[in-house]
Amino acid sequence: MTRTTPPRPADITNAYPQLEPLARIATRLHPRPGPVTPNDSSIGGPLLWPADEPWPYCDGPHVRAFGSLSNPSLADVRLLRDTEADSYGRARTELEQRY
């Protein structure tokens, strides 16, 4: 069944003629859940990955935003955000004073 979007109640190009050259036909997707087979894509279903191929991963070193904290508390996150916001505000004030 083909589904189409009904026409808009007002033609926007009448109000803003400069938008008319930008008009394009668009395809709207309406995914529906359903059974996925190996011939289907992963849109709307599980990601299909070959059973004999390992899942990619990165075992390299990673820098964390919280230094050595691997599981920061909510208080740690809020403190870091407040500190960054204060720092940004000071830097902005210094720039405004220079120029």
Side-chain angles (χ1 to χ4, degrees), residues 2-80:
T2 302
R3 297 176 187 245
T4 59
T5 303
R8 297 285 142 215
D11 185 10
I12 195 75
T13 56
N14 286 338
Y16 301 98
Q18 65 271 27
L19 293 178
E20 190 169 3
L22 303 174
R24 303 286 185 274
I25 293 177
T27 300
R28 292 182 55 200
L29 301 177
H30 297 277
R32 307 282 190 281
V36 179
T37 67
N39 298 327
D40 297 327
S41 74
S42 63
I43 295 177
L47 180 63
L48 303 175
W49 196 264
D52 58 344
E53 187 174 327
W55 191 259
Y57 70 95
C58 175
D59 58 358
H62 297 91
V63 178
R64 297 183 184 270
F66 298 99
S68 62
L69 295 176
S70 60
N71 192 12
S73 68
L74 182 57
D76 292 331
V77 173
R78 287 181 175 155
L79 178 62
L80 178 67

Side-chain angles (χ1 to χ4, degrees), residues 64-99:
R64 297 183 184 270
F66 298 99
S68 62
L69 295 176
S70 60
N71 192 12
S73 68
L74 182 57
D76 292 331
V77 173
R78 287 181 175 155
L79 178 62
L80 178 67
R81 289 180 181 170
D82 291 345
T83 304
E84 289 176 344
D86 291 344
S87 152
Y88 176 76
R90 282 194 307 273
R92 185 178 179 99
T93 302
E94 290 171 8
L95 282 173
E96 289 171 352
Q97 289 173 354
R98 279 190 214 164
Y99 299 102

